[in-house]
Amino acid sequence: MIDYAALRVLAAVIETGSFERAAARLHVTPSAVSQRVRQMEERLGVVLVVRGTPSVATEAGDRLCRHFETVSLLEQALSGSLPALSGGDRGQAGVTIPLAVNADSLDSWFVEALARFSRVSRHQVRISVDDQDHTAEWLERGRVLAAVSSLETTVPGCKRHALGALRYRATASPELLTRLAPEGVTAESLSRLPVLVFDRKDGLQAAWMRQVFGTVIQAPAYWLPSTRSFIEASLAGIGWGMNPELLAMEHLATGRLVELIPNTPLDIPLSWQTTQLATEPLKALTKAVMAVAGERLVRG
């Protein structure tokens, strides 16, 4: 059987990154925390924590922490209808919910969903950022309980809700286009225009080029792993990028940014996927996500 009291200690160490901070949270001594974790490691015969600054979970430790988060979320949901399970303590702290969200959603619309959720729930969230094509992998590996994903199929063991599409515009400063593509943006001139790339997983620029030109055009690249930096770099004339319309619309309206080729948006359909084990406890978060997505994303 799993020792959930010890698992609570392990989860506190991993979440805070420190035996000392975990001890302060749990109101015990650091030596007591260290002893509890060591006893659990000895019992299971595996290392659960890589000690350091910060202390981090091993693969086995991470799996145990994810299990503990799921069980804690289910227990708190159950105690809502059966208060005697928690001694009627309605003031207990909420569980931290691990999520995976793509950076563009996080910077353009997802924070509003979190704000609405925070007004009706004690739970906190811990967000891991990845490309929308890869966030589903976090669900498949059991590292998160829910994810914003572009995967068009349902992750096994999960429930999928279509959200709508995040619309992107291929944008640049007028100065950059005047300087490097004075005759207009063509396949030939695009090869001279520096392109902004988020990271090696970023395929939006290639997808737009295939949509518009039927092929991927090689060009100089700036690597900027930040949605906000994409906007700033575009405004500064460093290169062109696929910017979320939600963030670029104000600059397009004032002329500080222009589309490389007018009226050629790229729509990326998104979904909200939650593990079926926690579908009911995540209902309030799902409601907030669906509501904001309905207001901000493009409907097909």
Side-chain angles (χ1 to χ4, degrees), residues 49-70:
V49 181
V50 178
R51 277 74 169 172
T53 307
S55 293
V56 297
T58 63
E59 182 177 354
D62 186 66
R63 289 184 65 186
L64 283 171
C65 288
R66 300 295 78 78
H67 173 75
F68 177 72
E69 287 170 338
T70 302

CSV table of all heavy atoms in Angstrom, one decimal, residues 49-70:
chain,number,residue,atom,x,y,z
A,49,VAL,N,14.3,11.5,-5.2
A,49,VAL,CA,14.7,12.9,-5.3
A,49,VAL,C,16.2,13.0,-5.6
A,49,VAL,O,17.0,12.4,-5.0
A,49,VAL,CB,14.4,13.6,-4.0
A,49,VAL,CG1,14.8,15.1,-4.1
A,49,VAL,CG2,12.9,13.5,-3.6
A,50,VAL,N,16.5,13.9,-6.6
A,50,VAL,CA,17.9,14.2,-6.8
A,50,VAL,C,18.2,15.5,-6.0
A,50,VAL,O,17.7,16.5,-6.2
A,50,VAL,CB,18.2,14.5,-8.3
A,50,VAL,CG1,19.6,15.0,-8.5
A,50,VAL,CG2,17.8,13.3,-9.2
A,51,ARG,N,18.9,15.3,-4.9
A,51,ARG,CA,19.2,16.4,-4.0
A,51,ARG,C,20.1,17.4,-4.6
A,51,ARG,O,21.0,17.1,-5.3
A,51,ARG,CB,19.9,15.9,-2.7
A,51,ARG,CG,19.0,15.3,-1.6
A,51,ARG,CD,18.5,13.9,-2.0
A,51,ARG,NE,17.8,13.3,-0.8
A,51,ARG,CZ,17.2,12.1,-0.9
A,51,ARG,NH1,17.0,11.5,-2.1
A,51,ARG,NH2,16.6,11.6,0.2
A,52,GLY,N,19.7,18.7,-4.5
A,52,GLY,CA,20.5,19.8,-5.1
A,52,GLY,C,19.7,21.1,-4.9
A,52,GLY,O,18.8,21.2,-4.0
A,53,THR,N,20.1,22.1,-5.7
A,53,THR,CA,19.5,23.4,-5.6
A,53,THR,C,19.0,23.8,-7.0
A,53,THR,O,19.8,24.3,-7.8
A,53,THR,CB,20.5,24.5,-5.1
A,53,THR,OG1,21.0,24.0,-3.9
A,53,THR,CG2,19.8,25.8,-4.9
A,54,PRO,N,17.7,23.5,-7.3
A,54,PRO,CA,16.7,22.9,-6.4
A,54,PRO,C,16.8,21.4,-6.4
A,54,PRO,O,17.4,20.8,-7.3
A,54,PRO,CB,15.4,23.4,-7.1
A,54,PRO,CG,15.7,23.4,-8.6
A,54,PRO,CD,17.1,23.9,-8.7
A,55,SER,N,16.1,20.8,-5.5
A,55,SER,CA,15.9,19.3,-5.5
A,55,SER,C,14.8,19.0,-6.5
A,55,SER,O,13.8,19.7,-6.5
A,55,SER,CB,15.5,18.8,-4.1
A,55,SER,OG,16.6,19.0,-3.2
A,56,VAL,N,15.1,18.0,-7.3
A,56,VAL,CA,14.1,17.6,-8.4
A,56,VAL,C,13.8,16.1,-8.3
A,56,VAL,O,14.5,15.3,-7.7
A,56,VAL,CB,14.6,18.0,-9.8
A,56,VAL,CG1,14.9,19.4,-9.9
A,56,VAL,CG2,15.9,17.2,-10.0
A,57,ALA,N,12.6,15.8,-8.8
A,57,ALA,CA,12.2,14.4,-8.8
A,57,ALA,C,12.9,13.6,-9.9
A,57,ALA,O,13.2,14.0,-11.0
A,57,ALA,CB,10.7,14.3,-9.0
A,58,THR,N,13.1,12.3,-9.5
A,58,THR,CA,13.5,11.4,-10.6
A,58,THR,C,12.2,11.0,-11.3
A,58,THR,O,11.1,11.4,-11.0
A,58,THR,CB,14.1,10.1,-9.9
A,58,THR,OG1,13.2,9.5,-9.1
A,58,THR,CG2,15.4,10.5,-9.1
A,59,GLU,N,12.4,10.1,-12.3
A,59,GLU,CA,11.2,9.7,-13.0
A,59,GLU,C,10.2,9.0,-12.1
A,59,GLU,O,9.0,9.2,-12.2
A,59,GLU,CB,11.6,8.7,-14.2
A,59,GLU,CG,10.4,8.3,-15.0
A,59,GLU,CD,10.8,7.4,-16.2
A,59,GLU,OE1,12.0,7.2,-16.4
A,59,GLU,OE2,9.9,6.9,-16.9
A,60,ALA,N,10.7,8.1,-11.2
A,60,ALA,CA,9.9,7.4,-10.3
A,60,ALA,C,9.2,8.4,-9.3
A,60,ALA,O,8.0,8.3,-9.0
A,60,ALA,CB,10.7,6.4,-9.5
A,61,GLY,N,10.0,9.4,-8.8
A,61,GLY,CA,9.4,10.4,-7.9
A,61,GLY,C,8.4,11.2,-8.6
A,61,GLY,O,7.4,11.6,-8.0
A,62,ASP,N,8.6,11.6,-9.8
A,62,ASP,CA,7.6,12.4,-10.6
A,62,ASP,C,6.3,11.6,-10.7
A,62,ASP,O,5.2,12.2,-10.6
A,62,ASP,CB,8.2,12.7,-12.0
A,62,ASP,CG,7.3,13.7,-12.7
A,62,ASP,OD1,7.2,14.8,-12.3
A,62,ASP,OD2,6.8,13.3,-13.8
A,63,ARG,N,6.4,10.3,-11.0
A,63,ARG,CA,5.2,9.5,-11.2
A,63,ARG,C,4.4,9.5,-9.9
A,63,ARG,O,3.2,9.6,-9.9
A,63,ARG,CB,5.5,8.1,-11.7
A,63,ARG,CG,6.0,8.0,-13.1
A,63,ARG,CD,6.3,6.6,-13.5
A,63,ARG,NE,5.0,5.8,-13.5
A,63,ARG,CZ,5.0,4.5,-13.8
A,63,ARG,NH1,6.1,3.8,-13.9
A,63,ARG,NH2,3.8,3.9,-13.8
A,64,LEU,N,5.1,9.3,-8.8
A,64,LEU,CA,4.4,9.3,-7.5
A,64,LEU,C,3.8,10.6,-7.2
A,64,LEU,O,2.6,10.7,-6.6
A,64,LEU,CB,5.4,8.9,-6.4
A,64,LEU,CG,5.8,7.4,-6.3
A,64,LEU,CD1,7.0,7.2,-5.3
A,64,LEU,CD2,4.6,6.6,-5.9
A,65,CYS,N,4.4,11.7,-7.5
A,65,CYS,CA,3.9,13.0,-7.2
A,65,CYS,C,2.6,13.3,-8.1
A,65,CYS,O,1.6,13.9,-7.6
A,65,CYS,CB,4.9,14.1,-7.5
A,65,CYS,SG,6.2,14.2,-6.2
A,66,ARG,N,2.7,12.9,-9.3
A,66,ARG,CA,1.5,13.1,-10.2
A,66,ARG,C,0.3,12.2,-9.6
A,66,ARG,O,-0.8,12.7,-9.7
A,66,ARG,CB,1.8,12.6,-11.6
A,66,ARG,CG,2.9,13.4,-12.3
A,66,ARG,CD,2.6,14.9,-12.5
A,66,ARG,NE,2.8,15.6,-11.3
A,66,ARG,CZ,4.0,16.0,-10.9
A,66,ARG,NH1,5.1,15.7,-11.5
A,66,ARG,NH2,4.1,16.8,-9.8
A,67,HIS,N,0.6,11.0,-9.2
A,67,HIS,CA,-0.4,10.2,-8.6
A,67,HIS,C,-1.0,10.9,-7.3
A,67,HIS,O,-2.2,10.9,-7.2
A,67,HIS,CB,0.1,8.8,-8.2
A,67,HIS,CG,-0.8,8.0,-7.4
A,67,HIS,ND1,-1.9,7.3,-8.0
A,67,HIS,CD2,-0.9,7.6,-6.1
A,67,HIS,CE1,-2.5,6.6,-7.1
A,67,HIS,NE2,-2.0,6.8,-5.9
A,68,PHE,N,-0.2,11.4,-6.5
A,68,PHE,CA,-0.6,12.1,-5.3
A,68,PHE,C,-1.5,13.3,-5.6
A,68,PHE,O,-2.5,13.5,-5.0
A,68,PHE,CB,0.6,12.5,-4.5
A,68,PHE,CG,0.2,13.3,-3.2
A,68,PHE,CD1,-0.4,12.6,-2.1
A,68,PHE,CD2,0.4,14.7,-3.1
A,68,PHE,CE1,-0.7,13.3,-1.0
A,68,PHE,CE2,0.0,15.4,-2.0
A,68,PHE,CZ,-0.5,14.7,-0.9
A,69,GLU,N,-1.2,14.1,-6.7
A,69,GLU,CA,-2.0,15.2,-7.1
A,69,GLU,C,-3.3,14.8,-7.5
A,69,GLU,O,-4.4,15.4,-7.2
A,69,GLU,CB,-1.2,16.0,-8.1
A,69,GLU,CG,0.0,16.8,-7.6
A,69,GLU,CD,0.8,17.4,-8.8
A,69,GLU,OE1,0.7,16.8,-9.9
A,69,GLU,OE2,1.5,18.3,-8.5
A,70,THR,N,-3.4,13.7,-8.3
A,70,THR,CA,-4.7,13.2,-8.8
A,70,THR,C,-5.6,12.7,-7.6
A,70,THR,O,-6.8,13.1,-7.5
A,70,THR,CB,-4.5,12.0,-9.8
A,70,THR,OG1,-3.7,12.5,-10.9
A,70,THR,CG2,-5.8,11.5,-10.3
